[in-house]
Amino acid sequence: VSEHLCPPLQSVVQVNFFCDYEESKGNYLVDVDGNRMLDVYTQIASIPIGYNHPALTKVMTDPKNMGTFVNRPALGMMPPEQFSEKLVNGLMAVAPKGFSRVQTMACGSCSNENAYKAIFIWYRSGVLSFFFQVPGCPDLTLLSFMGGFHGRTLGCLATTHTKAIQKLDVPSFDWPIAPFPQLRYPLDQFERENAREEARCLEEAEDLIVKWNQKGRHVAGVVIEPIQAEGGDNHASFDFYRKLRGITKKHGCAFLVDEVQTGGGSTGKFWAHEHWGLDDPADIVSFSKKMLTGGYYQKDSFQPDKPFRIFNTWLGDHTKNLLLTEVIKVIKTENLLDQAKRSGKVMLEGLYDLQDKYPHLLSKARGIGTFCAIDVKDEDTRNLLLLKARNKGVVLGGCGTQSIRFRPALVFTEHHAHLFLDIFNDAIAELK
């Protein structure tokens, strides 16, 4: 990174390259040198309908929105006139089944951090009220899973179990951690082994809840991702999640589904947990990234009964609510959820072909919709492949220790999928 472009004002060790966002359009990201690249990573899964979509630029240049863009309101105390209307037409228009409340936040980490607080407040006002405990700082816990990633703020780090560097030198809460299923691929060849693995993980999760409750450190909630994204795009069966939901109900734990990366349509449904087919899938669902704003949906019982218990100055950014309303319109009018299914089918079939062609390099192609991934033989080779792909004009991202994740925008078509696969194949061929 050039000092001329980035003076040493903040850490730049993780910077990949500088971008020209004015020139970036649709599925293509342009860097400051004018290189035009097919973006299959989209700012870590955060660009819903491509760069500079006309519907969004129109919102930003509309004079009636000028006051909101110029003056950032403290939404918890002095929201703008049409705040509720925009929530109804935006976030609540795509609310998961069973939810009638939403709390906006700024990012994924603060969404989960405050969702954790909401769970503890709920648990104290309900379950533990029968134990006549005095107010204060209760010794409650949350159960999370190995390989999960829920953010980098203090509470979230206690439930994040991916790379050691994320937790190094930072104190953490002593909370229970359950194993997440390590599935074997191809799935159709290991059905019995994978079923046993999921049963083992469910049994251990329930045992942890029982044991921690017995020693007085009650498990107030369970947090999990529909697909462990940052941890390596780790999947479990829909039945695993259905049974886990049953365990949380049995033991009176809140169930928080972290849809920060999986939400927004890339799996072919707006929320990845919809694939589970449950009428009551969760108590809280957190979101960010493709939703442009952060926050969480919650059941009525999780709404605190006193002010300022869930609060910060901005509680998100209302300009993002305005943009999200238009994003949702585009998704519906252009049938982009169906597009994600079609493009994802092309991508996944192409990844299957590539792992058959390069079995010494690639394995475990997997995905739902365009939310796909593949493993490379080791971390160094993975990192080299990412660099070669970028040099050929495709932006990709890694996850876990040796996986590549694919996170295109919802406007990514079959044409773009074929283009990506051709370039990816060329990059892989250079590794032979």
Side-chain angles (χ1 to χ4, degrees):
V1 177
S2 165
E3 279 196 20
H4 174 70
L5 289 175
C6 187
L9 301 177
Q10 64 179 42
S11 174
V12 296
V13 293
Q14 64 274 352
V15 171
N16 282 223
F17 55 90
F18 286 81
C19 304
D20 185 342
Y21 290 108
E22 295 294 324
E23 293 300 319
S24 300
K25 296 288 187 298
N27 290 292
Y28 293 90
L29 176 64
V30 178
D31 69 14
V32 292
D33 295 320
N35 298 303
R36 183 172 176 265
M37 297 168 283
L38 181 63
D39 193 351
V40 195
Y41 193 42
T42 60
Q43 313 294 319
I44 320 178
S46 296
I47 304 293
I49 54 174
Y51 293 99
N52 291 308
H53 195 285
L56 303 190
T57 56
K58 182 179 179 181
V59 172
M60 296 184 68
T61 57
D62 189 336
K64 69 180 181 182
N65 295 326
M66 193 61 64
T68 302
F69 278 93
V70 172
N71 309 291
R72 186 174 182 179
L75 295 175
M77 297 185 69
M78 290 169 279
E81 180 181 3
Q82 296 181 325
F83 181 55
S84 296
E85 176 188 335
K86 294 302 179 183
L87 288 183
V88 169
N89 294 331
L91 285 167
M92 293 312 300
V94 292
K97 182 185 296 185
F99 290 92
S100 57
R101 289 182 179 270
V102 66
Q103 176 62 67
T104 54
M105 288 289 165
C107 68
S109 292
C110 60
S111 300
N112 283 327
E113 191 85 13
N114 284 279
Y116 293 179
K117 288 173 59 181
I119 287 173
F120 291 135
I121 293 168
W122 163 82
Y123 199 79
R124 287 279 289 181
S125 65
V127 178
L128 282 185
S129 63
F130 295 105
F131 296 111
F132 303 105
Q133 292 193 6
V134 297
C137 296
D139 200 6
L140 298 177
T141 67
L142 289 176
L143 183 141
S144 54
F145 288 82
M146 287 302 301
F149 180 90
H150 303 287
R152 292 181 171 88
T153 51
L154 193 63
C156 291
L157 273 179
T159 58
T160 287
H161 316 291
T162 51
K163 298 180 178 69
I165 190 66
Q166 294 162 346
K167 301 165 76 80
L168 186 66
D169 298 327
V170 181
S172 185
F173 296 108
D174 180 21
W175 290 348
I177 308 166
F180 189 84
Q182 300 297 302
L183 301 186
R184 298 176 66 183
Y185 290 82
L187 295 177
D188 59 358
Q189 296 181 21
F190 295 99
E191 291 181 359
R192 184 176 300 177
E193 293 88 345
N194 288 339
R196 285 199 296 264
E197 169 69 357
E198 291 190 342
R200 178 187 71 85
C201 293
L202 288 168
E203 182 179 0
E204 290 199 33
E206 185 166 18
D207 284 348
L208 283 168
I209 294 172
V210 171
K211 289 175 182 177
W212 283 69
N213 286 350
Q214 287 175 343
K215 65 181 182 180
R217 302 198 60 203
H218 291 256
V219 178
V222 173
V223 57
I224 198 167
E225 301 158 272
I227 301 169
Q228 288 187 333
E230 184 72 26
D233 265 38
N234 306 316
H235 290 246
S237 71
F238 301 153
D239 188 59
F240 171 84
Y241 288 97
R242 289 191 284 262
K243 289 176 178 175
L244 180 61
R245 177 55 168 148
I247 290 171
T248 64
K249 287 186 173 182
K250 176 181 176 182
H251 294 281
C253 308
F255 193 43
L256 166 53
V257 178
D258 179 348
E259 291 255 22
V260 166
Q261 190 160 159
T262 53
S266 59
T267 68
K269 293 184 181 291
F270 205 90
W271 303 105
H273 73 259
E274 292 180 79
H275 291 281
W276 306 344
L278 290 174
D279 290 329
D280 183 22
D283 297 301
I284 297 182
V285 175
S286 59
F287 57 84
S288 189
K289 291 190 180 288
K290 275 188 172 61
M291 302 297 286
L292 302 183
T293 182
Y296 57 88
Y297 298 97
Q298 60 185 348
K299 290 184 174 178
D300 290 349
S301 56
F302 287 80
Q303 180 72 22
D305 61 350
K306 295 179 177 59
F308 300 109
R309 302 199 75 182
I310 302 293
F311 187 79
N312 57 53
T313 299
W314 285 321
L315 289 175
D317 183 343
H318 186 51
T319 64
K320 304 306 181 186
N321 297 330
L322 298 177
L323 294 172
L324 178 62
T325 300
E326 297 306 312
V327 166
I328 292 169
K329 289 179 184 177
V330 171
I331 290 173
K332 291 179 177 179
T333 57
E334 298 184 11
N335 297 314
L336 293 184
L337 297 185
D338 288 338
Q339 181 64 69
K341 295 176 186 176
R342 295 193 301 270
S343 300
K345 185 174 185 292
V346 173
M347 286 182 68
L348 196 54
E349 289 178 351
L351 292 173
Y352 288 148
D353 290 341
L354 288 172
Q355 74 179 13
D356 290 341
K357 185 176 180 180
Y358 305 103
H360 60 296
L361 293 173
L362 304 178
S363 63
K364 297 183 180 179
R366 56 203 182 273
I368 309 174
T370 58
F371 203 100
C372 296
I374 197 165
D375 279 9
V376 185
K377 68 172 186 175
D378 56 51
E379 185 174 8
D380 288 342
T381 306
R382 188 270 309 272
N383 294 342
L384 179 59
L385 182 53
L386 292 175
L387 182 59
K388 284 184 175 294
R390 194 178 81 198
N391 288 341
K392 291 181 178 296
V394 171
V395 181
L396 303 172
C399 62
T401 57
Q402 63 193 84
S403 300
I404 294 178
R405 54 180 154 174
F406 309 105
R407 299 291 184 269
L410 298 177
V411 294
F412 193 82
T413 67
E414 296 95 324
H415 164 74
H416 298 106
H418 284 298
L419 181 60
F420 148 68
L421 290 166
D422 288 343
I423 298 173
F424 194 47
N425 175 72
D426 292 344
I428 299 166
E430 293 186 0
L431 296 177
K432 291 199 299 182

